[in-house]
Amino acid sequence: MWSRIIGRAGRLVLTVFVVATITFVIIRVVPGDPAALVAGLDADPQTVARIQIRMGTDRPLSVQYVSWIGSILRFDLGTSLVQNRPVSELLLSRVPVTFALAGSALLFSLLVAIPLGVAAASSPKPVYAHLCDAYTNVGLSIPDFWAGILLLLAFSVRFRWFPLFGVESLASYVLPTVALGLSRSAFLARVVRRSVRDELSKPYVEGARSLGISGRRLIFGEVLPNALLPTITIAAVQFGYLLGGAIVVEQVFSMPGLGRLILTAVSQRDFPVVQAGVVFVAAAFSLINFFADVLYSLLNPRIRY
């Protein structure tokens, strides 16, 4: 088990390193001089040159790359070129909104997916299977941003039940949570349905029925705990995807999270913020996958041994 954990940890570090390298290269090959953008349209060449020296873009790319990797290892993410504030301070100020949105979307997904998947797999009535099929087809077909726009038009503009923008109250998270969690709940519903169906076909279920265990006691006491083992790992991985999807949803609902910070930095060519934001999201995603693997190994002895 320890060799598996060490191997996963090595992959985590390698993933963050590769993402940091790709981000560095992509930003540098985009046309345009960020120093000229920061200086303004009317800036003279001397001003632009001074800003290039302050930014470090006057140095060779190899020197810039080594300096960038070294700063990551020291947890020094630099200073925003536009806001002139430490990038780490900007990221930490936006992290609570993004993680709260992703966490609430994951909770919404599980609350919808588990009952729907269990009912579709275990109930003899075909209506639950048809309902599950309809929900998963619709949920997987609608993009997050389109779902957000429809929810805004219906429940914020038409009925005025929820706020249009911002995060002034918990009600501000309701529509973004549904928009972000819709496709994930549809995906997890399929996973739960398939897992429960697989468990119901195993010999121990017939043995439990021969002992007089049936109905809800069989489903919730015997089948569901085993069926949720793969669901836990997949749900943890989905949390990473939710962090990435939150970038678009935050833009739709004007939420001050990491997504809006990164998108604004891209439009302003604020290199340090873009680089640090992408690497931070990649590191969070990799850490979540790592802990999901460790958790699954602890819950499933077959993996452990």
Side-chain angles (χ1 to χ4, degrees):
M1 178 179 175
W2 284 108
S3 60
R4 176 183 175 87
I5 293 177
I6 294 173
R8 291 291 185 179
R11 288 175 55 183
L12 186 156
V13 174
L14 179 62
T15 300
V16 175
F17 173 77
V18 171
V19 170
T21 302
I22 294 175
T23 304
F24 176 89
V25 173
I26 290 178
I27 288 180
R28 263 63 182 186
V29 299
V30 174
D33 186 357
L37 185 63
V38 172
L41 296 176
D42 300 328
D44 55 84
Q46 292 77 13
T47 302
V48 175
R50 286 197 297 270
I51 295 177
Q52 287 177 337
I53 295 174
R54 181 168 64 88
M55 294 169 55
T57 55
D58 61 318
R59 298 176 296 175
L61 284 179
S62 58
V63 177
Q64 295 182 45
Y65 175 73
V66 173
S67 176
W68 160 238
I69 296 298
S71 65
I72 292 179
L73 296 177
R74 298 191 305 271
F75 298 100
D76 178 14
L77 302 180
T79 304
S80 170
L81 303 177
V82 177
Q83 302 187 43
N84 198 28
R85 293 172 57 190
V87 176
S88 58
E89 179 182 319
L90 292 174
L91 292 179
L92 292 177
S93 67
R94 303 296 186 97
V95 164
V97 174
T98 299
F99 272 74
L101 176 58
S104 61
L106 179 61
L107 180 61
F108 167 80
S109 301
L110 293 173
L111 291 176
V112 172
I114 293 176
L116 188 59
V118 171
S122 61
S123 177
K125 298 179 181 180
V127 63
Y128 294 108
H130 296 327
L131 179 62
C132 184
D133 290 335
Y135 182 82
T136 54
N137 289 334
V138 171
L140 293 173
S141 300
I142 301 179
D144 296 341
F145 73 91
W146 184 241
I149 294 174
L150 293 178
L151 291 171
L152 274 177
L153 291 175
F155 299 105
S156 295
V157 177
R158 178 66 177 85
F159 295 108
R160 301 182 184 275
W161 291 349
F162 298 99
L164 266 172
F165 307 112
V167 289
E168 288 78 12
S169 63
L170 291 178
S172 303
Y173 283 90
V174 174
L175 297 184
T177 294
V178 176
L180 184 59
L182 181 62
S183 60
R184 297 302 96 193
S185 64
F187 175 77
L188 290 175
R190 286 188 174 183
V191 172
V192 174
R193 181 182 182 181
R194 183 173 61 248
S195 297
V196 172
R197 185 179 294 172
D198 290 343
E199 291 297 322
L200 288 172
S201 64
K202 292 183 178 179
Y204 79 88
V205 175
E206 292 299 327
R209 285 172 175 164
S210 66
L211 295 175
I213 303 175
S214 60
R216 293 183 178 179
R217 182 183 174 189
L218 174 63
I219 296 299
F220 293 101
E222 305 292 337
V223 174
L224 189 58
N226 294 322
L228 287 182
L229 283 176
T231 305
I232 291 173
T233 304
I234 295 175
V237 174
Q238 294 307 305
F239 183 74
Y241 285 109
L242 289 171
L243 288 176
I247 294 177
V248 178
V249 174
E250 287 173 2
Q251 188 70 11
V252 172
F253 290 90
S254 298
M255 303 180 72
L258 280 175
R260 291 201 71 196
L261 177 67
I262 295 174
L263 290 177
T264 302
V266 170
S267 64
Q268 296 174 338
R269 299 294 300 277
D270 196 345
F271 281 2
V273 175
V274 176
Q275 292 178 156
V278 173
V279 172
F280 180 86
V281 173
F285 183 82
S286 301
L287 277 172
I288 291 167
N289 287 346
F290 172 75
F291 286 119
D293 284 338
V294 173
L295 178 62
Y296 190 58
S297 299
L298 294 174
L299 295 176
N300 193 340
R302 289 175 298 180
I303 298 296
R304 195 184 316 158
Y305 296 108

